């Protein structure tokens, strides 16, 4: 991608971070860059994941991002999980082979915490962390799980002013 490991997109809420990120994702897909490195992963609180799909339909051509995989909640349980969580069982519990032809994989912070080994073995072109302040505590299980993930480029987004020191 850029040769840099990532970027931070931070401003006040409602100024277009989601739109900018979707435009970036659509450019990656149209240029063929994304396919060379794997699907793109969006990690966000569950309540925001539907908004990502709504905004993509509103602002992008149909299929601009490719097939969308819901790797969280009940959808994850039905499709891909062998039984139990990585954090409990130890071995990889999600069969991510079905993600290989996906354009976007949507998941939550809680899901990467419970299935971090499964997510870590899947290479992603880009990982986007929406509401990235969820990762501000370097000792938390969520932050440690996020650090295990494999991406060519990572993008953190927040509409919340930085309140604490940046550590990491």
């Amino acid at each position: 991608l850029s040769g840099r490991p990532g970027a931070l997109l931070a401003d006040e809420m409602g100024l277009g971070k989601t739109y900018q990120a979707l435009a970036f994702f659509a450019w990656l897909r149209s240029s063929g860059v994304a396919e060379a490195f794997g699907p793109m992963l969006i990690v966000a609180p569950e309540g925001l994941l539907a908004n990502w799909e709504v905004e993509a339909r509103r602002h992008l051509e149909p299929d601009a991002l490719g097939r969308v995989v819901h790797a969280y909640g009940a959808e994850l349980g039905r499709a891909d999980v062998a039984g139990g969580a990585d954090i409990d069982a130890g071995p990889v519990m999600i069969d991510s082979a079905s993600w290989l032809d996906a354009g976007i994989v949507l998941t939550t912070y809680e899901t990467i915490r419970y299935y971090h080994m499964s997510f870590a073995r899947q290479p992603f072109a880009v990982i986007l962390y929406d509401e990235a302040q969820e990762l501000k505590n370097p000792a938390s299980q969520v932050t440690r799980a996020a650090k295990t993930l494999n991406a060519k480029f990572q993008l953190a987004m927040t509409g919340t002013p930085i309140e604490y020191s940046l550590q990491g």
Side-chain angles (χ1 to χ4, degrees):
L1 288 159
S2 71
R4 301 187 191 283
L8 172 65
L9 183 55
D11 63 21
E12 293 298 320
M13 290 175 55
L15 296 179
K17 292 180 297 297
T18 302
Y19 178 74
Q20 291 175 50
L22 287 170
F24 175 58
F25 283 179
W27 174 79
L28 288 173
R29 290 270 306 168
S30 69
S31 66
V33 171
E35 286 85 1
F37 297 107
M40 296 173 281
L41 177 66
I42 297 175
V43 183
E46 187 169 351
L48 294 180
L49 291 173
N51 183 62
W52 277 95
E53 290 186 273
V54 168
E55 292 297 315
R57 283 192 298 272
R58 179 181 300 155
H59 297 294
L60 301 174
E61 295 292 322
D63 201 43
L65 299 179
R67 186 171 67 86
V68 177
V69 172
H70 300 103
Y72 65 95
E75 302 248 357
L76 179 66
R78 283 195 305 267
D80 304 308
V81 178
D86 294 359
I87 199 168
D88 297 328
V92 170
M93 299 304 287
I94 296 176
D95 178 13
S96 61
S98 66
W99 302 351
L100 293 177
D101 68 337
I104 297 286
V105 177
L106 300 173
T107 197
T108 65
Y109 287 101
E110 292 77 19
T111 304
I112 64 167
R113 180 180 68 203
Y114 290 122
Y115 297 100
H116 66 277
M117 293 189 309
S118 296
F119 279 87
R121 76 178 187 164
Q122 170 65 53
F124 293 100
V126 175
I127 299 175
L128 181 143
Y129 298 100
D130 193 0
E131 300 293 339
Q133 68 273 11
E134 295 283 331
L135 302 174
K136 69 184 174 191
N137 180 351
S140 74
Q141 288 181 338
V142 171
T143 301
R144 289 188 307 214
K147 288 179 180 182
T148 68
L149 302 185
N150 177 10
K152 189 72 174 166
F153 187 81
Q154 296 185 53
L155 179 62
M157 288 182 19
T158 183
T160 303
I162 297 172
E163 300 171 8
Y164 302 99
S165 66
L166 296 174
Q167 300 177 21

